[in-house]
Amino acid sequence: ERFLSYTQKDCEKINAGKQPQNHRLNQSQINKVLIQKAKQGKKVLRLKGGDPFLFGRGGEECEALQQAGIPFEVVPGISSFYSVCAYAGIPVTHRECASSFHVFTGHRVENGELDYPIMAKMEGTLIFLMSMKNLEQISKKLIEQGKEEHTPVCVIQWGTTSKQKSVTATLKEIAQKAKQA
């Protein structure tokens, strides 16, 4: 909202923001608006939080613009997967305990299954974005596939904002603790 306050008064603003289970515009509609406004000769800015290509559908928007013959520029943002962790004081890598990290979406298109047997064997930091809805299932499946139930876990909501909340627990307890918080 603060960034939008810097726009010119005559700037048309179309809110295409998405909240879980509440999309003002679906992705197809967003693509159509981008193309329509550009074809009207307008300068169009699609302002997104974080990195538009990391689970952000920026790639789909670029494909639609390219197919419509509309030139575009991408200005990358800083991904939430490491900025939120850093803001909470959690390094995604550390010489003594995590030499790698792996980033996953916490939900899949049409509820496709994540590859839990492989994920449970991975070393390093496992990061699940947009996973609150499926937190209990993710925890349960990782434990079933061999991940130690006492693995430390942190759930972060509203990362890098004044509303940020963090909850820490073990993998076995995190879903319940997050619900309580």
Side-chain angles (χ1 to χ4, degrees), residues 65-124:
L65 292 168
Q66 188 173 34
Q67 289 171 3
I70 297 170
F72 59 89
E73 176 184 5
V74 175
V75 178
I78 297 173
S79 175
S80 62
F81 90 78
Y82 59 89
S83 62
V84 169
C85 293
Y87 196 72
I90 302 169
V92 296
T93 61
H94 189 289
R95 289 190 306 171
E96 295 178 14
C97 58
S99 63
S100 65
F101 60 88
H102 312 275
V103 183
F104 308 94
T105 177
H107 64 271
R108 300 282 297 261
V109 174
E110 299 172 12
N111 294 320
E113 188 71 14
L114 294 168
D115 194 346
Y116 292 103
I118 296 295
M119 293 163 59
K121 290 175 180 57
M122 290 180 166
E123 297 292 326

Side-chain angles (χ1 to χ4, degrees), residues 18 27-28 34 52-53 55 85-87 100 136-137 140 153 159 161 172 180:
K18 296 178 180 179
Q27 193 59 52
S28 177
L34 291 171
F53 289 165
F55 305 128
C85 293
Y87 196 72
S100 65
E136 188 172 350
Q137 176 186 352
K140 180 181 170 202
V153 177
T161 72
K172 181 179 180 178
Q180 290 171 349

Side-chain angles (χ1 to χ4, degrees), residues 10-178:
D10 61 345
C11 176
E12 177 183 11
K13 298 177 191 112
I14 300 170
N15 190 340
K18 296 178 180 179
Q19 297 292 326
Q21 312 305 317
N22 181 20
H23 296 183
R24 290 182 174 93
L25 299 175
N26 66 35
Q27 193 59 52
S28 177
Q29 292 169 318
I30 292 169
N31 295 349
K32 287 177 185 174
V33 169
L34 291 171
I35 292 166
Q36 176 190 25
K37 297 298 180 181
K39 286 188 173 183
Q40 291 173 0
K42 297 184 177 185
K43 292 180 182 178
V44 179
L45 168 71
R46 173 77 162 109
L47 181 63
K48 297 175 72 89
D51 185 326
F53 289 165
L54 187 68
F55 305 128
R57 300 195 183 173
E60 294 173 40
E61 293 169 11
C62 291
E63 287 174 335
L65 292 168
Q66 188 173 34
Q67 289 171 3
I70 297 170
F72 59 89
E73 176 184 5
V74 175
V75 178
I78 297 173
S79 175
S80 62
F81 90 78
Y82 59 89
S83 62
V84 169
C85 293
Y87 196 72
I90 302 169
V92 296
T93 61
H94 189 289
R95 289 190 306 171
E96 295 178 14
C97 58
S99 63
S100 65
F101 60 88
H102 312 275
V103 183
F104 308 94
T105 177
H107 64 271
R108 300 282 297 261
V109 174
E110 299 172 12
N111 294 320
E113 188 71 14
L114 294 168
D115 194 346
Y116 292 103
I118 296 295
M119 293 163 59
K121 290 175 180 57
M122 290 180 166
E123 297 292 326
T125 304
L126 304 183
I127 302 166
F128 293 87
L129 300 178
M130 306 168 292
S131 59
M132 287 303 297
K133 178 181 170 189
N134 296 322
L135 181 60
E136 188 172 350
Q137 176 186 352
I138 292 168
S139 301
K140 180 181 170 202
K141 296 246 182 183
L142 285 172
I143 292 168
E144 286 174 1
Q145 295 302 320
K147 188 59 105 178
E148 172 59 48
E149 67 181 31
H150 297 291
T151 300
V153 177
C154 182
V155 171
I156 304 168
Q157 181 181 41
W158 297 104
T160 71
T161 72
S162 61
K163 298 177 188 177
Q164 179 168 317
K165 290 183 186 179
S166 298
V167 176
T168 57
T170 65
L171 183 59
K172 181 179 180 178
E173 299 171 332
I174 193 62
Q176 178 187 351
K177 299 256 180 168

